[in-house]
Each structure stands twice: as structure tokens, then as C-alpha cells.
Amino acid sequence: MPLRFGDFTLDLDSRRLLRQGADRHLSPKGFELLRFLIESRPKAMSKQEIHEHLWPSVYVSEATLSSLVAEVRGALNETAVREGFIRTVHRFGYAFQGEATDVNPAPPPRLDARIRCWIVWESGQVGLKDGEHLIGRDGDVAVWLDSPTVSRHHARIQVSGDGTTIEDLRSKNGTFLRGERLTGPAPLADGDEITIGSVPVKFRRIEPGLSTATRSH
């Protein structure tokens, strides 16, 4: 989960340090040092503890750690004289100072589970809910049309509460809406006639709130 502090975000999954969305360069060891200090906050970590975490069973000089701290401070736009998030604990080690909070990823938009529209043709019909739906002749499509004039992934329909669009997917024989060949995404209206290759289908939109008609006697 990403950690946010000030204008910075430390993304632990992608191993990136960002400032207001822009990348700040850190070497792998620099990233690990910053992560170690943040996760250890507010405790000050001794140089020995940092050495054991970053270079287990390997001897490195104290100057190597000092250089790594300077790299992290440079990425955070601070120095040993002008301290910010990295605090020097003299004759001991270093500590992270400041608030760091977990960044909860935004939940994906909730899709409406209701059928919003239908694709109807001579030998079948399919109800479509919110989301993307493929039309074609492959096994993973939502609307399967058994015709050699239909490409495996022929067209795509995008359904949402705001409306429905159709787009040709560079099919060999084209997708036609109201007799015109599609060259880009186009909105669909209830009752629209669509031709997929040589297969005519009709788009029917379900309008919310429509009451059932009373049969006349």
C-alpha cells in the first residue's frame, strides 16, 4: 500500500517515489532505506541496525551509508543542514520525522447489475449490463453471431447509465449503424438497426420507470 507524506508518495508495490505524481529517482538501496525509516517511525534507527537491514552479512563503510542518506535527502529536496523528513541523530543514526499515512486505493466504480439493453437478431437475443461487451465469432464474446462475415472480435459495445456506444474493431467486413459504416465510436438509440458483417441486429434500450401497458378488450 502506498505511503503519503507531505507532497510525496512512496509506492511500495511499484517501488517508486513520487512528488505530486512525478517520479523522483531513488536507487534500490535508497528506496529501501527510506522505506525502512518510514516503517520504523518514530523510532530512531542506529547505524548498525540500518547496516544489518540493508547489507546483511556484508561489510560496507560508514561513508557508504552517509552517501545513501544524502541520495534520499536529495530526492526529498533536503540536505543535512536543511533537514526535512530525514533527521540525523548525532553519533547514533537516523530517523524519519513527520506524518506518513496509508493511501487507500479508490474502489472501482460500482457497476449496475441490471440489464440495461438488448441486442436482438433473427435467431437470438442477449441482455447487456454496464460494462464492455464484445460482438463477434470468438468464444469469449458476449454476443456470438454465427456467420463467416463476422470477425472473431468484430465490434465492441460500451454500456453505462449515461448511454451506450458501439465501435468497430477493425473488422474485415465492417459495422454499419443506420446504414453508415462506423469509423469511430457512435452512440446508440433505442430501435437502432446495426449490421455486423452481413448480420442485421437491433438495439433495444430499457428505459427505467416504464409501466406495463394495459391490454384493451
Side-chain angles (χ1 to χ4, degrees), residues 131-149:
E132 288 188 353
H133 307 278
L134 294 176
I135 301 175
R137 203 159 39 91
D138 210 348
D140 63 346
V141 300
V143 181
W144 186 77
L145 300 176
D146 186 16
S147 169
T149 66

Side-chain angles (χ1 to χ4, degrees), residues 23-152:
D23 276 291
R24 305 290 291 179
H25 175 72
L26 271 182
S27 67
K29 287 296 185 184
F31 182 92
E32 197 56 42
L33 171 61
L34 180 56
R35 174 180 180 170
F36 182 57
L37 293 178
I38 291 177
E39 292 181 343
S40 302
R41 69 186 190 283
K43 181 181 177 182
M45 307 307 295
S46 69
K47 293 178 182 179
Q48 180 179 348
E49 289 174 308
I50 296 172
H51 274 282
E52 290 174 354
H53 179 78
L54 295 179
W55 300 283
S57 305
V58 176
Y59 172 78
V60 294
S61 67
E62 190 168 314
T64 301
L65 176 57
S66 298
S67 176
L68 195 61
V69 171
E71 177 197 328
V72 173
R73 281 177 164 156
L76 299 177
N77 292 336
E78 56 187 74
T79 65
V81 176
R82 189 181 71 255
E83 288 186 347
F85 292 105
I86 307 300
R87 177 171 64 90
T88 300
V89 184
H90 295 288
R91 297 187 179 181
F92 180 77
Y94 301 93
F96 182 88
Q97 59 184 6
E99 295 293 326
T101 57
D102 294 335
V103 180
N104 293 317
R110 186 175 180 179
L111 300 180
D112 197 312
R114 295 174 298 174
I115 290 177
R116 291 194 181 274
C117 57
W118 292 84
I119 300 296
V120 183
W121 65 102
E122 183 180 11
S123 59
Q125 60 183 24
V126 174
L128 302 179
K129 302 176 182 179
D130 280 356
E132 288 188 353
H133 307 278
L134 294 176
I135 301 175
R137 203 159 39 91
D138 210 348
D140 63 346
V141 300
V143 181
W144 186 77
L145 300 176
D146 186 16
S147 169
T149 66
V150 175
S151 299
R152 284 190 293 238

Side-chain angles (χ1 to χ4, degrees), residues 146-168:
D146 186 16
S147 169
T149 66
V150 175
S151 299
R152 284 190 293 238
H153 286 176
H154 195 106
R156 174 171 52 226
I157 288 183
Q158 176 74 46
V159 181
S160 73
D162 298 328
T164 303
T165 60
I166 186 169
E167 179 182 6
D168 184 75

